[in-house]
Structure formats: structure tokens, C-alpha cells
């Protein structure tokens, strides 16, 4: 008795869940709405309909005239009937989740069977696809069976022939052509049925459209015109299978339907073209994927993906993804993501992300993120972030970020605005420091320096000359500094510089290192005075008296410290003026 009660409860629970799923999956096109529209544009009618039905419309602006005015009053009418009335049957409808996709389809077609052969485990259908208004036969229309994943294109005379193996109680053929409304026919074992209002249960569920890969550079070369026509005719139909194998695109276990099938495992000897991968895809040369790739994709030369990648993508030459990437990309030459990337990219030459990047980019030559970067870029030559960089850029030569909040390390670092630190020979901030200073000190009486960067860290390029009859010095050097801001008028600068001293000959190396602290007082906007103590370390291999004629012989003052045999140190002073 207890077992019977448990079985009954399980049956009731399953039935209720099924009913709940069905009720929640009511097609948006079948929903009934009430509308009372007076002198409103079509776009407003669609907007009100979507709010009442709790769904969204997707369409191009050229689908209808934006200034077309509508008067309509309907009660408890299905959405599809309202759309038919609005567009006079010239628009086709597809459902994808909570979206109704509207596309121009002013023409109507039909399938006219010529021959139907039914034998033991064999079913052959041939016929023509015809324009219902003109009677003309339509060439390059797609005719396909969704469940059996078989399709063909009509020839120049509009003729098609499909052959199905196995036992089939019925076959449903669908004909599709760009700018035409789809038509489906059901063929039974001994009866041909062409219902006027036939609706395929899957025809309006739709799918994501990723035909961009067919028109992109290298991918276009490997995709036949028949496959591109197939995608144009049936862009919204996709099926799922556990496995497919291809020699080349089109020569696969799914034939011309390969670009409409999402596989768990895909093996392409040379190359393949599929709708998507939700598992593993491996190719000797290349993988072309119309939709999304999940988990793993590996190719000897390149991977081209029209949708997104969520997982690991490896290619000997190129990874090209037309939307987003979340995971890892490894390429011998280039990784390219047309929209956003999140994760890790490594390439022998470069990485390119056209929108935001969150993660790490490593390239032998350069990295480019066209919008924001949150993470790290490492390159042998250069890194560029066109908008905000929050993280770290390390390059053998240059780094650029329009807004920099983090760390830049390179020979040349450039930013539009900086809230971080730039370490290099040249650190230029467009909206940062551009200070020109003139100063004098106990060793060299005339100095000029240029400071670039920001208060956190700026670099110094300096030159100087000691003007004297018998104590000349010429010098040039580099340095770094940090400003401690006290108020709008007062600040303290801590600076380190290193400069070469020319003393009349190039026989010896003479270096002067300075550690200085300056109190800076802004007199008026753009002009400040500064001054403070310096500790200098002078290191030279030149013996005393070896300077050229007219040049200073002893750099260190009489009172100094002996740091080593070749190095002397002393306390000095520095004063000057800065123009900002």
C-alpha cells in the first residue's frame, strides 16, 4: 500500500511539474493581449505589446518606416495575429527566449513534391520550391529535415532531392530562403499533408545568429558558397549531437548541415565548420565555429569562432573570436577578441581585445586593449590600453594608457591621466607634470631640468654647466622624484638624480649621484621657488689633476667624506625656480 502511495505521489508531482513547464513556456507569439492605439508610430505599438506580454522585440530600423502612424483597437488577440495585421504578412517572426525577432520576409514560398518513394528503411522525396505569387521556381533555397539533420539546396531550376535511411513514420520538410517566410510540410508513410497553418514546434525557438565568421578574412576562404547560402536561409535553426567528424568543411558526418549542429565532440582531420562545441573540438589545421565554444578547442593553425569562447582555446597560429572570451587563449602568432575578454591570453606576436579585458595578456611583440584593462599586460615591445588601465603594464620599449591607475614599466611610458606610477627613461602624462626648473648648487652653478609624470612619481631629465674661467663642467643626467603635497602652495620634493660630468676629456668616467630634498613654495599660479639640502656622492676613476685645461680639477669640496677609494660624499645645497 505504501509503495502505491509513493508511486501515485511521484506521478502527480511529475504531472504538475510538466504542466508548470508548459504554462511557463507559452510562446510569446501565442500570448493574447489587449491594445487601444490611436495615432501612434509602429515602434510605440511594438513597445506597448512587449510590456503587456513581458517579452522583447528585436528588429532593424529599416524594417518599417519610423514615422508610420497606426490606429488599432484589439481585445484578446494573439501577438502573431496583431503582427500580421501591422505588417500585412511581409514580416517573418522567430522566437529566442524572451525575444521575438522580426525580419523582412515579404515573399511566400511552397514545396511542391514531384516524387515520393517509400521502401523498406528508405524514404526519398524530390520536388520543387516555388514562389506562391509568381509561380517561379526558387534556386538556392534550403530544404531540410530538422530531426534527421539532412538538408540540400535547390538547383537553378528550384529542384531538390532528399534521401532518408531508416524507419520513419513521418518526415517534416522545411523550405527556407532569405526574404521569404519559411514553409513546412509533413509527409506521412502513404499520405502527403500540406496544412495551410502548419507550425513547427521548434521553428520559433530560434537561436543566436553568428554568421559574422563566414564573412571574416581567412574563414571566408574555407567556407563554400553553398554553406553561406544555407546559413542565410536558415539562420535560426540549430541542433545538438554527441559527435561529428569532418575531413574539410562540408565533407562531414552531417554534410551541409554541419554548420547548424552543436557537438559534444568534434574531430576535424583537416578542418571543419560547425554551429558550436560544448565539449572538445580538435583539428589538424583549423576549426570554424558559427556559434559558441565551451570547454576546449585545439587547432594546428587557427580557430575562428563567430560566438563566444568559455574555456581553453589553443592554435598554432591564430585564435579569432567575434564576441567574448572567458578562459584561456594560446596562439603561436595572434589572439583576437572582437568584444570582451576575461582570463589569460598568451601569443608569440600579439593579443588584441576590441573592448574590455580582465586578466593577463602576454605577447612577444605587443598587446592592445581598445577600451578598459583590469589586470596586466606584458610585451616584448609595447602595450596599449585605449581607455582606462587598472593594473600593470610591462614592456621592453613603451606603454600607453589613456587613464592609468597602477604601474607602468618601460623605456617610454605615456598616459593621458595618471593616478599611478610610471618607471622608465621617459614618463609623459598629458594631464600631469610638465615642469621646467632652473637651479644652482654648490658644484654646478647653472642647471636646467624637465620633470614629467605626477606627484606620486616623476622622472627628471637634466643638463647643466658650471661657468668659470678655470673650473668648467658640462653635465647631463636622469632622475626620479616624489612630491609630498602639504597644501595648494606648499610641498616637499624628494629626488634622486644621477649625472655624468664631462671634465675636458673622455678618458675617465665621472658620475655624480645626488639625494636632495626641496621645500617648494608656489608664488603665483605656474611659478614656484624651491630650495633644500643635498647629499652628493661623486665617483671617478680619474686621478687628481687629470681634468682638461680650463676644467675643474677637484669636484668634491675640501670638507668631504671618503666612502671608498674612488667615491667621496658631502652635504651641499640647491635653490631654484620652477615654471609649471
Amino acid at each position: 500500500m505504501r509503495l502505491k502511495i509513493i508511486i501515485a505521489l511521484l506521478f502527480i508531482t511529475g504531472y504538475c511539474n510538466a504542466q508548470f513547464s508548459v504554462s511557463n513556456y507559452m510562446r510569446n507569439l501565442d500570448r493574447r493581449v489587449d491594445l487601444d492605439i490611436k495615432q501612434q508610430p509602429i515602434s510605440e505599438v511594438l513597445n506597448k505589446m512587449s510590456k503587456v506580454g513581458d517579452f522583447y522585440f528585436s528588429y532593424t530600423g529599416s524594417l518599417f518606416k519610423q514615422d508610420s502612424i497606426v490606429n488599432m483597437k484589439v481585445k484578446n488577440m494573439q501577438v502573431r495575429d496583431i503582427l500580421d495585421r501591422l505588417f500585412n504578412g511581409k514580416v517573418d517572426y522567430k522566437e529566442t527566449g524572451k525575444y521575438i525577432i522580426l525580419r523582412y520576409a515579404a515573399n511566400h514560398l511552397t514545396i511542391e513534391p514531384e516524387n515520393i518513394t517509400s521502401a523498406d528503411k528508405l524514404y526519398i522525396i524530390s520536388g520543387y520550391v516555388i514562389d506562391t505569387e509568381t509561380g517561379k521556381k526558387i534556386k538556392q533555397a534550403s530544404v531540410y529535415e530538422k530531426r534527421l539533420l539532412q538538408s540540400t539546396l535547390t538547383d537553378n531550376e528550384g529542384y531538390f532531392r532528399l534521401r532518408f535511411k531508416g524507419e520513419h513514420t513521418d518526415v517534416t520538410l522545411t523550405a527556407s530562403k532569405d526574404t521569404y517566410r519559411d514553409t513546412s510540410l509533413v509527409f506521412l508513410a502513404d499520405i502527403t499533408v500540406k496544412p495551410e497553418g502548419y507550425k513547427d514546434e521548434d521553428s520559433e525557438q530560434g537561436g543566436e545568429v553568428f554568421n559574422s565568421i563566414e564573412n571574416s578574412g581567412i574563414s571566408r576562404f574555407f567556407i563554400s558558397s553553398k554553406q553561406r547560402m544555407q546559413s542565410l536561409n536558415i539562420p535560426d535553426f540549430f541542433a545538438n549531437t554527441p559527435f561529428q567528424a569532418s575531413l574539410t568543411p562540408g565533407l562531414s558526418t552531417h554534410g551541409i548541415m554541419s554548420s547548424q549542429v552543436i557537438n559534444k565532440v568534434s574531430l576535424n582531420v583537416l578542418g571543419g565548420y560547425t554551429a558550436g562545441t560544448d565539449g572538445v573540438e580538435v583539428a589538424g589545421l583549423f576549426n570554424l565555429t558559427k556559434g559558441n565554444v565551451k570547454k576546449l578547442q585545439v587547432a594546428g593553425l587557427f580557430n575562428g569562432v563567430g560566438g563566444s569562447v568559455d574555456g581553453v582555446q589553443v592554435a598554432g597560429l591564430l585564435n579569432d573570436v567575434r564576441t567574448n572570451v572567458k578562459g584561456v587563449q594560446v596562439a603561436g602568432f595572434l589572439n583576437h577578441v572582437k568584444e570582451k575578454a576575461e582570463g589569460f591570453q598568451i601569443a608569440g606576436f600579439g593579443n588584441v581585445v576590441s573592448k574590455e579585458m580582465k586578466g593577463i595578456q602576454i605577447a612577444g611583440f605587443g598587446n592592445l586593449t581598445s577600451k578598459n584593462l583590469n589586470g596586466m599586460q606584458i610585451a616584448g615591445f609595447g602595450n596599449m590600453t585605449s581607455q582606462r588601465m587598472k593594473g600593470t603594464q610591462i614592456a621592453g620599449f613603451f606603454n600607453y594608457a589613456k587613464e592609468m591607475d597602477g604601474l607602468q614599466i618601460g623605456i617610454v611610458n605615456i598616459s593621458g591621466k595618471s593616478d599611478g606610477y610610471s618607471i622608465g627613461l621617459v614618463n609623459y602624462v598629458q594631464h600631469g607634470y610638465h615642469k621646467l626648473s632652473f637651479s644652482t648648487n654648490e658644484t654646478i652653478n647653472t642647471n636646467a631640468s624637465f620633470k614629467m609624470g605626477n606627484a606620486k612619481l616623476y622622472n627628471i631629465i637634466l643638463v647643466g654647466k658650471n661657468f668659470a674661467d678655470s673650473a668648467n663642467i658640462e653635465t647631463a643626467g636622469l632622475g626620479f622624484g616624489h612630491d609630498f603635497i602639504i597644501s595648494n602652495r606648499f610641498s616637499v620634493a624628494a629626488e634622486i638624480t644621477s649625472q655624468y660630468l664631462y671634465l675636458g676629456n673622455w678618458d675617465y668616467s665621472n658620475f655624480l649621484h645626488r639625494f636632495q630634498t626641496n621645500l617648494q613654495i608656489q608664488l603665483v599660479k605656474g611659478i614656484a621657488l624651491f630650495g633644500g639640502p643635498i647629499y652628493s656622492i661623486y665617483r671617478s676613476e680619474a686621478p687628481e689633476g687629470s681634468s682638461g685645461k680650463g676644467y675643474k680639477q677637484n669636484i668634491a669640496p675640501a670638507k668631504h667624506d671618503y666612502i671608498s677609494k674612488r667615491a667621496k660624499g658631502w652635504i651641499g645645497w640647491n635653490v631654484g625656480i620652477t615654471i609649471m
Side-chain angles (χ1 to χ4, degrees):
M1 182 66 181
R2 180 179 297 177
L3 179 61
K4 292 181 179 179
I5 294 173
I6 293 172
I7 293 173
L9 288 173
L10 289 173
F11 176 79
I12 293 170
T13 302
Y15 176 80
C16 291
N17 286 336
Q19 294 301 311
F20 178 79
S21 299
V22 170
S23 64
N24 276 273
Y25 187 67
M26 175 181 286
R27 296 181 181 278
N28 295 321
L29 287 168
D30 293 334
R31 294 185 185 275
R32 296 182 178 273
V33 299
D34 299 337
L35 292 176
D36 188 1
I37 305 294
K38 293 180 181 179
Q39 295 293 308
Q40 296 289 331
I42 292 180
S43 58
E44 184 61 25
V45 178
L46 297 176
N47 185 42
K48 287 187 176 181
M49 214 186 316
S50 65
K51 287 182 179 178
V52 173
D54 191 27
F55 55 81
Y56 304 95
F57 284 107
S58 175
Y59 56 88
T60 62
S62 60
L63 187 65
F64 54 83
K65 292 182 178 180
Q66 299 295 317
D67 56 354
S68 298
I69 301 300
V70 175
N71 290 295
M72 177 180 289
K73 186 173 183 178
V74 298
K75 188 172 181 64
N76 197 32
M77 181 179 284
Q78 283 188 331
V79 170
R80 70 173 68 251
D81 295 331
I82 297 174
L83 293 173
D84 283 337
R85 182 183 295 187
L86 275 176
F87 298 110
N88 296 319
K90 294 183 178 180
V91 171
D92 196 18
Y93 326 123
K94 299 286 183 182
E95 286 199 36
T96 302
K98 296 194 73 173
Y99 286 86
I100 295 178
I101 301 172
L102 307 181
R103 67 186 184 105
Y104 179 75
N107 306 310
H108 297 262
L109 51 76
T110 187
I111 299 175
E112 288 193 359
E114 179 192 52
N115 180 55
I116 302 173
T117 302
S118 180
D120 184 30
K121 295 185 179 181
L122 181 65
Y123 204 62
I124 301 173
I125 303 174
S126 62
Y128 296 88
V129 177
I130 297 174
D131 188 309
T132 56
E133 294 184 11
T134 65
K136 292 183 178 180
K137 296 172 181 178
I138 302 171
K139 64 179 181 179
Q140 291 190 316
S142 294
V143 183
Y144 55 100
E145 217 295 344
K146 296 181 178 181
R147 291 168 298 174
L148 304 179
L149 297 179
Q150 288 185 243
S151 74
T152 187
L153 290 175
T154 57
D155 62 16
N156 290 334
E157 301 299 323
Y159 177 79
F160 73 90
R161 185 177 184 272
L162 282 170
R163 187 169 181 264
F164 305 98
K165 292 183 178 180
E167 295 181 358
H168 306 293
T169 57
D170 64 89
V171 173
T172 302
L173 290 189
T174 300
S176 298
K177 175 70 176 175
D178 188 38
T179 75
Y180 283 82
R181 301 192 74 169
D182 293 352
T183 294
S184 296
L185 277 77
V186 178
F187 297 87
L188 302 178
D190 297 313
I191 304 172
T192 300
V193 181
K194 187 174 70 174
E196 188 68 27
Y198 173 79
K199 289 191 301 180
D200 184 3
E201 289 299 315
D202 297 321
S203 65
E204 289 163 356
Q205 292 183 27
E208 297 173 281
V209 181
F210 298 120
N211 291 343
S212 65
I213 197 66
E214 297 178 351
N215 301 316
S216 64
I218 192 170
S219 301
R220 185 179 178 88
F221 178 78
F222 294 97
I223 300 173
S224 69
S225 59
K226 285 188 176 182
Q227 289 173 307
R228 286 196 291 272
M229 183 60 66
Q230 179 90 311
S231 295
L232 187 64
N233 291 336
I234 50 174
D236 302 310
F237 169 68
F238 296 100
N240 292 273
T241 65
F243 176 79
Q244 82 88 30
S246 298
L247 178 62
T248 62
L251 295 177
S252 77
T253 52
H254 298 319
I256 197 173
M257 284 292 281
S258 65
S259 62
Q260 311 302 129
V261 181
I262 300 168
N263 308 283
K264 288 287 186 183
V265 178
S266 179
L267 176 63
N268 304 309
V269 179
L270 296 178
Y273 181 40
T274 65
T277 300
D278 188 8
V280 178
E281 184 170 43
V282 179
L285 295 181
F286 63 89
N287 296 304
L288 296 176
T289 307
K290 181 190 292 187
N292 301 325
V293 171
K294 295 182 180 179
K295 298 181 177 65
L296 177 64
Q297 187 179 54
V298 181
L301 286 181
F302 71 91
N303 295 304
V305 178
S308 62
V309 172
D310 187 355
V312 178
Q313 193 177 42
V314 181
L317 187 68
L318 168 70
N319 289 310
D320 180 21
V321 180
R322 313 305 288 180
T323 57
N324 304 316
V325 169
K326 186 176 183 180
V328 178
Q329 282 186 310
V330 180
F333 182 71
L334 178 71
N335 291 307
H336 172 248
V337 180
K338 194 171 182 181
E339 294 189 9
K340 299 178 181 179
E342 182 177 344
F344 184 83
Q345 289 183 313
I346 181 168
F349 180 78
N351 298 297
V352 178
V353 176
S354 297
K355 291 187 178 179
E356 280 80 13
M357 171 68 191
K358 292 183 179 180
I360 300 173
Q361 291 179 311
I362 300 176
F365 181 78
N367 296 299
L368 171 63
T369 297
S370 295
K371 288 195 175 179
N372 301 323
L373 168 72
N374 190 342
M376 178 180 287
Q377 289 179 317
I378 302 174
F381 182 75
N383 298 301
M384 290 188 67
T385 299
S386 299
Q387 297 296 325
R388 183 174 181 83
M389 190 281 289
K390 189 173 183 180
T392 303
Q393 289 180 318
I394 302 173
F397 183 67
F398 85 96
N399 296 297
Y400 170 82
K402 187 175 182 180
E403 295 183 28
M404 197 273 288
D405 184 4
L407 175 66
Q408 289 179 319
I409 300 176
I411 296 174
V412 177
N413 299 301
I414 301 172
S415 59
K417 180 182 178 182
S418 175
D419 293 321
Y421 300 87
S422 296
I423 300 174
L425 294 179
V426 176
N427 303 307
Y428 178 80
V429 181
Q430 183 180 357
H431 300 288
Y433 279 6
H434 310 110
K435 296 182 176 183
L436 182 61
S437 298
F438 300 96
S439 64
T440 184
N441 56 58
E442 84 289 347
T443 304
I444 303 168
N445 54 30
T446 306
N447 299 278
S449 63
F450 184 67
K451 302 175 183 179
M452 297 178 291
N454 58 20
K456 291 182 178 180
L457 185 66
Y458 55 87
N459 71 310
I460 306 166
I461 301 175
L462 61 91
V463 294
K465 181 174 175 62
N466 193 63
F467 291 93
D469 292 338
S470 58
N472 288 317
I473 300 174
E474 284 95 31
T475 183
L478 300 170
F480 295 94
H482 174 84
D483 278 348
F484 298 90
I485 307 298
I486 300 172
S487 67
N488 291 334
R489 291 190 59 197
F490 296 94
S491 63
V492 174
E495 298 176 348
I496 300 174
T497 62
S498 182
Q499 56 200 104
Y500 179 82
L501 304 186
Y502 177 73
L503 301 176
N505 60 62
W506 300 99
D507 297 336
Y508 306 100
S509 58
N510 310 301
F511 285 97
L512 181 63
H513 310 289
R514 291 180 177 266
F515 305 87
Q516 56 196 42
T517 302
N518 294 315
L519 174 64
Q520 302 175 123
I521 304 172
Q522 184 170 319
L523 301 179
V524 295
K525 186 177 181 180
I527 298 178
L529 292 178
F530 65 87
I534 296 177
Y535 188 80
S536 299
I537 298 175
Y538 177 65
R539 180 177 179 81
S540 176
E541 297 178 355
E544 292 187 8
S546 61
S547 298
K549 185 178 180 181
Y551 284 85
K552 194 169 185 178
Q553 299 297 323
N554 296 311
I555 301 301
K559 188 177 181 180
H560 58 264
D561 303 320
Y562 284 96
I563 297 174
S564 68
K565 183 178 179 181
R566 298 295 184 184
K568 302 173 182 178
W570 66 91
I571 296 176
W573 52 268
N574 182 50
V575 294
I577 186 171
T578 296
I579 301 172
M580 296 175 280

